[in-house]
Amino acid sequence: MALIFVTRKIPEVGLRWMREGGHEVVVSEKDGVLTTDELKAELAARPYDGVVSLLTDTINMDILSVAPSVKIVANYAVGFNNIAVQELAEQGIVVTNTPGVLTDTVAEYAVSLILAVAKRIPEADRYTRAGKYQGWAPELLLGSDLKNKTLGIVGAGRIGSGVAKRLADGFGMRVRYYDIARSEALEAAVACEYCESLDELLAHADVVSIHVPLLPQTKHLINAERLAMMKPTAYLVNTSRGPVVDEAALVEALTNRTIRAAGLDVFEDEPALAAGLCELENVILTPHIASGSEETRGRMSELVGYNINEFFLGHELPNKVEVA
Ligand code: GLV
Ligand code: GLV
């Protein structure tokens, strides 16, 4: 039996699976993100063997120094930029994530944001609610079509590929993609063109959708210079991690109409927003909910429970995060 600390309440199913696996599970009682000091105090309180963390928890060896028996950190997210994976690996601590189960949900969400931005749906809703609708007009709130336009996918992993497939098959978009390597899986699934450089992709795309993990190399991948390479009619959508886009530079670009509009589900310093972002009409802002369907948040909980149970049974861990 292992003793597991869960940093915040997640859907019950995974907690139940861990308990059924014979483990004692302690869930933080705070309805919010634990501060570093609170997390350390919790971890020091009992001899925990494992931790279930969220993407809002920073996990490194400083924090785990108070909990020397912890052997696994199971992150309730596919992204794991909140965890110092290398540092933990050096101490023999295993890290797992929740890939796969959220792919379709996040891909659906990215497509939804792309449609909402191109069709100006939230803006039209604000307009109508404000009582501004005085009758049908030929040039009221005109948006863009997606058919035959070029979708630029940045990051051809599972989610990026899912977005490409949906928009190519369902909406007749042409697909170009950029990644550090070609993706045979994407090329087999969708007619698409590989761009050797991000700059080339940005110059051609009508919609740019970002699906890369946050790494030192991807921080501010989309900066002022890159925004200036995009078409003035282009849309930028980010459902990956906020710091991939230089948010202050994006505010500038949206204000000056360097690009037409953007849809953001993630922010550089979330939950804070860059100065000026909220005042812009040509951006849609949502609070990091791309994987937030009832079904998927439950499946992520199951996967966390599975990862913990398998680890303590000494089994192979398919969702172990490998050190780069
Ligand atoms: C959500 O952002 C995740 O990484 O699962
Ligand atoms: C994440 O699951 C990805 O591979 O895109």
Side-chain angles (χ1 to χ4, degrees):
M1 189 200 83
L3 182 58
I4 311 297
F5 182 68
V6 181
T7 63
R8 190 169 179 176
K9 170 88 177 67
I10 60 172
E12 195 59 33
V13 56
L15 307 176
R16 194 177 73 234
W17 281 22
M18 287 187 269
R19 292 186 177 121
E20 286 170 2
H23 306 302
E24 183 181 346
V25 180
V26 178
V27 180
S28 163
E29 282 171 13
K30 179 174 174 183
D31 183 21
V33 181
L34 295 170
T35 64
T36 300
D37 287 344
E38 288 169 343
L39 182 53
K40 277 184 163 175
E42 289 278 11
L43 289 176
R46 296 192 56 192
Y48 288 106
D49 303 296
V51 177
V52 172
S53 57
L54 309 191
L55 59 92
T56 41
D57 301 313
T58 299
I59 305 287
N60 53 35
M61 279 321 296
D62 170 49
I63 282 163
L64 292 182
S65 64
V66 302
S69 41
V70 167
K71 298 163 208 66
I72 179 169
V73 175
N75 212 36
Y76 180 76
V78 66
F80 45 82
N81 53 284
N82 58 305
I83 302 179
V85 177
Q86 173 78 40
E87 231 178 83
L88 270 58
E90 283 165 14
Q91 303 304 317
I93 300 171
V94 167
V95 175
T96 60
N97 67 340
T98 61
V101 293
L102 46 64
T103 302
D104 289 334
T105 308
V106 177
E108 283 183 8
Y109 195 88
V111 170
S112 307
L113 260 187
I114 289 168
L115 287 166
V117 170
K119 308 297 176 186
R120 302 173 66 177
I121 293 173
E123 203 183 335
D125 179 79
R126 286 195 291 277
Y127 176 91
T128 309
R129 284 170 195 275
K132 293 183 186 164
Y133 182 39
Q134 301 295 321
W136 185 87
E139 292 183 299
L140 180 60
L141 285 164
L142 300 185
S144 303
D145 291 324
L146 297 180
K147 189 168 180 185
N148 292 329
K149 298 278 175 60
T150 297
L151 171 67
I153 293 285
V154 181
R158 288 164 289 223
I159 297 171
S161 300
V163 172
K165 177 115 183 88
R166 283 166 174 81
L167 287 171
D169 292 355
F171 290 86
M173 291 193 81
R174 304 173 200 278
V175 177
R176 289 190 178 223
Y177 76 100
Y178 167 74
D179 204 321
I180 44 178
R182 287 180 82 128
S183 164
E184 280 177 25
L186 177 57
E187 293 184 20
V190 182
C192 60
E193 203 174 314
Y194 178 65
C195 292
E196 299 275 340
S197 76
L198 177 58
D199 299 1
E200 182 193 339
L201 178 106
L202 295 175
H204 288 98
D206 298 298
V207 175
V208 174
S209 193
I210 303 175
H211 304 286
V212 292
L214 176 59
L215 303 166
Q217 311 87 281
T218 59
K219 174 152 195 236
H220 285 188
L221 188 67
I222 306 294
N223 55 18
E225 196 188 340
R226 292 249 164 77
L227 287 161
M229 292 173 189
M230 291 174 64
K231 297 184 180 180
T233 48
Y235 301 103
L236 177 71
V237 168
N238 188 11
T239 50
S240 63
R241 284 292 181 266
V244 175
V245 176
D246 179 341
E247 207 169 292
L250 179 62
V251 170
E252 279 284 309
L254 290 169
T255 306
N256 302 333
R257 300 283 169 152
T258 309
I259 66 170
R260 182 158 177 186
L264 306 176
D265 185 50
V266 288
F267 304 94
E268 208 174 329
D269 185 26
E270 60 188 55
L273 305 178
L277 195 58
C278 253
E279 285 73 57
L280 296 170
E281 281 288 341
N282 57 341
V283 65
I284 298 177
L285 311 171
T286 63
H288 204 150
I289 55 168
S291 71
S293 70
E294 283 177 22
E295 297 93 331
T296 284
R297 290 286 164 87
R299 282 192 288 257
M300 289 166 65
S301 180
E302 289 177 355
L303 201 47
V304 159
Y306 169 87
N307 290 339
I308 291 280
N309 287 348
E310 290 292 289
F311 175 79
F312 287 104
L313 287 169
H315 294 170
E316 273 294 292
L317 289 180
N319 307 311
K320 180 174 174 207
V321 171
E322 299 300 338
V323 179

